Amino acid sequence: MPDTQPQEKAHSPAYAHSRAHPLGRVAILGIGLIGGSLGQDLCAVGASECVTGWDSDAEALAAGIMLGAVQRAADSLSEAVIGADLLVIATPLTAIIPTLSSIAPYLRADAFVTDVGSAKARIVAEAEELIGGRFIGGHPMAGSEESGVMASSVDLFDAAAWIITPTPRTDPAGVETVSKMAVLAGARPRICDPEKHDRLVASLSHLPHVLAYGLAQMAGERVADEWVDLVAGSFRDGARVATSNAEGWTEILLDNRPAVIEAMDGFIVWISCAREAMESGDRARLSTLLDQAYRSRKRFPR
Amino acid sequence: MPDTQPQEKAHSPAYAHSRAHPLGRVAILGIGLIGGSLGQDLCAVGASECVTGWDSDAEALAAGIMLGAVQRAADSLSEAVIGADLLVIATPLTAIIPTLSSIAPYLRADAFVTDVGSAKARIVAEAEELIGGRFIGGHPMAGSEESGVMASSVDLFDAAAWIITPTPRTDPAGVETVSKMAVLAGARPRICDPEKHDRLVASLSHLPHVLAYGLAQMAGERVADEWVDLVAGSFRDGARVATSNAEGWTEILLDNRPAVIEAMDGFIVWISCAREAMESGDRARLSTLLDQAYRSRKRFPR
């Protein structure tokens, strides 16, 4: 093997930047659960020369500084952007494109922009209209039923998949940068095209949220206050994410409408079959349905 | 306050038994997840003069001894029963009545029998046919997607509700004994009639299991092996109990058929409404559905 002389390389100007602060200067726009957690990770590992933060809510930004998620609070969106090598839009879903639109004039020509939105096809298409291949769609598969920077944590992305959704237009160097960022946040980068991403998360994230909301509603209608303490693990876990922000989830589900409707339709067929087997007392049919589902669940990590 | 002289009372023959071993002699029939966990609790606190165990599977019984869930392994069902003050039938649901039928001839006239079945109306009715008011229906609201004695744990019932389902025929002393047992296992006894129990658990336990199986099936059909690692918390938790024993859950659901069908029907109506709101892009309607469900979830413990 050739001697790569890492020490010497580290001293050469071209390498000094990338070795010391592998992501250069990062700006996080939107300091909530995801932006705050990412900021904490990047600050903790010194991934950025300076993690600049911006949020329309000054309190969230102040909390971000206090929690070590942000090193410098920008006074304005444009100020956050100037000089940044990598911008991470971590706003709610509906604000992603408006935010990108606002910052586009201030972006350096070689800066990359990524986001953390839960649905990708529309966002990536609209973002490419605005800034072309410098936009790299991203979606960390981690979250919480809580929201806001106070719920952020340096552990949030540990071992989680961080889906990156390039298109033929996407700059490969940008994909590399965002992958590096995901790794520095403790996650596993996974490359997937936007449409496939949307179909996958419809059943792995969006349908579970719909079912959790529906379960919470059913129990709420049928269980009086004096009995709510009977809940056990299956309800607690099954309906856990029903305390996720309802407005935010309305937008996510609508943004991924065709794939979510397809998954919901599949589910309605399945549960109608199970109901029919129950009604007719068809033990064998019900048992087969549950057993197939059991085998299916076993294919996924616990 | 009068001097109750507890020490003196503790020495009188009538009290010696109840103070030292508050449950007298306990026999647990069926040493699986629930029977094994209960046995561990009762042994740990010295609740019984001797916790006798029986299981049709000799290996499960041996494991029960090894794990400290059983102090004496009975050679036969009848041997387990003779001399017992309290019998706990912790077999799978379909074996409860056959087991009770087998042991009925050997029961002491003053012995109580309880069970841990997940549906109560049918079992309580059939059990009362066999042994009258000495049967006290029970259902600890704790479990695991795992089964078998090797998954049992001394912590399983901690802070869980232990539902006791007396009828007008039930001997109040038996209810007191089973409540005491629940407390000694770390649980909170809750009294509820069998029919109401069945309606409550339909939405708090049975529907969550149905949804978990359905979610696992949907994801299984839509996610190829190479993408299973994308799963995040909402799927993991939502489909966790889909690895519960499918045969056992077929029996539980069928045993509580009317209440489970009612809950499933309610769910189908709800998800169809949500689907319609999605289809028509009715943001306000979808948001209201999710927000109501959110409020409903907030009424229950996390």
Side-chain angles (χ1 to χ4, degrees), chain B residues 192-208:
Chain B
C192 181
D193 73 70
E195 290 71 24
K196 180 161 190 69
H197 164 278
D198 285 1
R199 286 195 302 273
L200 288 168
V201 299
S203 44
L204 293 180
S205 168
H206 302 174
L207 181 62

Side-chain angles (χ1 to χ4, degrees), chain A residues 155-194:
Chain A
D155 304 324
L156 187 65
F157 307 118
D158 288 2
W162 193 300
I163 312 178
I164 300 167
T165 58
T167 72
R169 286 182 72 178
T170 311
D171 186 333
V175 175
E176 206 180 307
T177 298
V178 176
S179 297
K180 210 184 285 175
M181 180 191 81
V183 169
L184 289 164
R188 296 174 290 107
R190 296 283 269 129
I191 307 293
C192 180
D193 72 70

Side-chain angles (χ1 to χ4, degrees), chain A residues 99-170:
Chain A
T99 301
L100 180 59
S101 190
S102 302
I103 66 174
Y106 306 98
L107 281 178
R108 280 206 350 238
D110 60 350
F112 293 119
V113 182
T114 187
D115 76 325
V116 297
S118 305
K120 295 265 68 86
R122 176 193 63 84
I123 284 176
V124 171
E126 292 182 11
E128 286 188 347
E129 284 292 304
L130 289 166
I131 64 163
R134 290 183 295 153
F135 182 83
I136 302 99
H139 179 201
M141 295 299 284
S144 165
E145 67 279 19
E146 295 182 72
S147 57
V149 66
M150 294 310 291
S152 69
S153 153
V154 78
D155 304 324
L156 187 65
F157 307 118
D158 288 2
W162 193 300
I163 312 178
I164 300 167
T165 58
T167 72
R169 286 182 72 178
T170 311

Side-chain angles (χ1 to χ4, degrees), chain A residues 40-129:
Chain A
Q40 286 188 49
D41 287 328
L42 299 185
C43 289
V45 299
S48 171
E49 216 177 299
C50 174
V51 175
T52 299
W54 176 83
D55 199 291
S56 58
D57 174 355
E59 275 183 38
L61 200 48
I65 297 250
M66 185 192 75
L67 292 169
V70 169
Q71 288 164 305
R72 187 177 73 88
D75 290 327
S76 68
L77 200 47
S78 55
E79 194 215 313
V81 174
I82 293 165
D85 299 295
L86 174 63
L87 290 111
V88 183
I89 304 180
T91 63
L93 197 67
T94 50
I96 293 173
I97 292 300
T99 301
L100 180 59
S101 190
S102 302
I103 66 174
Y106 306 98
L107 281 178
R108 280 206 350 238
D110 60 350
F112 293 119
V113 182
T114 187
D115 76 325
V116 297
S118 305
K120 295 265 68 86
R122 176 193 63 84
I123 284 176
V124 171
E126 292 182 11
E128 286 188 347
E129 284 292 304

Side-chain angles (χ1 to χ4, degrees), chain B residues 59-274:
Chain B
E59 275 183 37
L61 200 48
I65 297 253
M66 185 192 74
L67 292 168
V70 169
Q71 290 164 306
R72 187 178 75 88
D75 289 328
S76 68
L77 199 48
S78 54
E79 193 213 315
V81 174
I82 293 165
D85 299 295
L86 174 63
L87 290 111
V88 184
I89 305 181
T91 63
L93 197 67
T94 50
I96 293 173
I97 294 298
T99 301
L100 180 59
S101 189
S102 301
I103 65 174
Y106 305 99
L107 281 178
R108 280 205 349 236
D110 59 349
F112 293 119
V113 181
T114 188
D115 77 326
V116 296
S118 305
K120 296 263 67 87
R122 176 192 62 85
I123 284 176
V124 171
E126 293 182 11
E128 286 188 345
E129 284 291 305
L130 290 167
I131 63 164
R134 290 183 294 154
F135 182 83
I136 301 99
H139 180 202
M141 294 299 284
S144 165
E145 68 278 21
E146 296 182 74
S147 57
V149 65
M150 295 310 291
S152 69
S153 152
V154 79
D155 304 323
L156 186 67
F157 307 117
D158 287 2
W162 193 300
I163 312 177
I164 300 168
T165 60
T167 72
R169 284 183 73 177
T170 311
D171 185 332
V175 175
E176 205 180 307
T177 298
V178 176
S179 296
K180 209 183 285 176
M181 179 190 82
V183 170
L184 289 164
R188 296 174 290 106
R190 296 286 266 129
I191 307 293
C192 181
D193 73 70
E195 290 71 24
K196 180 161 190 69
H197 164 278
D198 285 1
R199 286 195 302 273
L200 288 168
V201 299
S203 44
L204 293 180
S205 168
H206 302 174
L207 181 62
H209 278 80
V210 170
L211 300 185
Y213 282 115
L215 174 58
Q217 181 66 31
M218 291 308 100
E221 289 172 10
R222 287 162 180 76
V223 180
D225 284 344
E226 62 174 317
W227 298 109
V228 296
D229 69 300
L230 298 193
V231 297
S234 60
F235 177 83
R236 281 179 201 269
D237 284 0
R240 179 178 60 82
V241 295
T243 57
S244 303
N245 183 281
E247 213 178 309
W249 272 93
T250 300
E251 298 305 337
I252 292 170
L253 297 176
L254 286 173
D255 215 315
N256 195 17
R257 198 154 62 162
V260 175
I261 287 179
E262 192 279 327
M264 288 168 84
D265 282 344
F267 188 87
I268 292 169
V269 169
W270 185 90
I271 197 172
S272 301
C273 265

Side-chain angles (χ1 to χ4, degrees), chain A:
Chain A
M1 267 178 67
D3 178 5
T4 53
Q5 295 177 286
Q7 278 162 311
E8 199 170 315
K9 278 192 174 176
H11 285 283
S12 76
Y15 260 74
H17 167 234
S18 67
R19 302 280 301 214
H21 304 294
L23 301 177
R25 280 157 296 177
V26 176
I28 302 177
L29 312 177
I31 307 299
L33 173 72
I34 302 293
S37 298
L38 176 63
Q40 286 188 49
D41 287 328
L42 299 185
C43 289
V45 299
S48 171
E49 216 177 299
C50 174
V51 175
T52 299
W54 176 83
D55 199 291
S56 58
D57 174 355
E59 275 183 38
L61 200 48
I65 297 250
M66 185 192 75
L67 292 169
V70 169
Q71 288 164 305
R72 187 177 73 88
D75 290 327
S76 68
L77 200 47
S78 55
E79 194 215 313
V81 174
I82 293 165
D85 299 295
L86 174 63
L87 290 111
V88 183
I89 304 180
T91 63
L93 197 67
T94 50
I96 293 173
I97 292 300
T99 301
L100 180 59
S101 190
S102 302
I103 66 174
Y106 306 98
L107 281 178
R108 280 206 350 238
D110 60 350
F112 293 119
V113 182
T114 187
D115 76 325
V116 297
S118 305
K120 295 265 68 86
R122 176 193 63 84
I123 284 176
V124 171
E126 292 182 11
E128 286 188 347
E129 284 292 304
L130 289 166
I131 64 163
R134 290 183 295 153
F135 182 83
I136 302 99
H139 179 201
M141 295 299 284
S144 165
E145 67 279 19
E146 295 182 72
S147 57
V149 66
M150 294 310 291
S152 69
S153 153
V154 78
D155 304 324
L156 187 65
F157 307 118
D158 288 2
W162 193 300
I163 312 178
I164 300 167
T165 58
T167 72
R169 286 182 72 178
T170 311
D171 186 333
V175 175
E176 206 180 307
T177 298
V178 176
S179 297
K180 210 184 285 175
M181 180 191 81
V183 169
L184 289 164
R188 296 174 290 107
R190 296 283 269 129
I191 307 293
C192 180
D193 72 70
E195 290 72 24
K196 182 162 190 69
H197 164 278
D198 286 0
R199 285 194 303 274
L200 288 169
V201 298
S203 45
L204 292 181
S205 168
H206 301 174
L207 182 62
H209 278 80
V210 171
L211 301 185
Y213 282 115
L215 174 58
Q217 181 65 32
M218 291 308 101
E221 290 172 10
R222 287 163 180 76
V223 180
D225 284 343
E226 61 174 318
W227 298 109
V228 296
D229 69 299
L230 298 192
V231 296
S234 61
F235 177 84
R236 281 180 201 268
D237 285 1
R240 179 178 60 81
V241 295
T243 57
S244 303
N245 184 279
E247 212 179 308
W249 272 93
T250 300
E251 298 305 337
I252 293 170
L253 297 176
L254 286 173
D255 215 316
N256 195 17
R257 199 154 61 161
V260 175
I261 288 179
E262 192 278 326
M264 287 168 85
D265 282 344
F267 188 87
I268 292 169
V269 169
W270 186 90
I271 196 171
S272 301
C273 265
R275 189 228 179 269
E276 206 175 277
M278 292 277 293
E279 177 77 43
S280 60
D282 189 341
R283 182 167 263 104
R285 176 94 192 94
L286 184 60
S287 171
T288 301
L289 283 168
L290 301 191
D291 190 56
Q292 276 178 352
Y294 168 94
R295 287 164 203 273
S296 175
R297 180 63 183 90
K298 287 280 191 188
R299 283 180 49 223
F300 293 88
R302 294 179 68 184

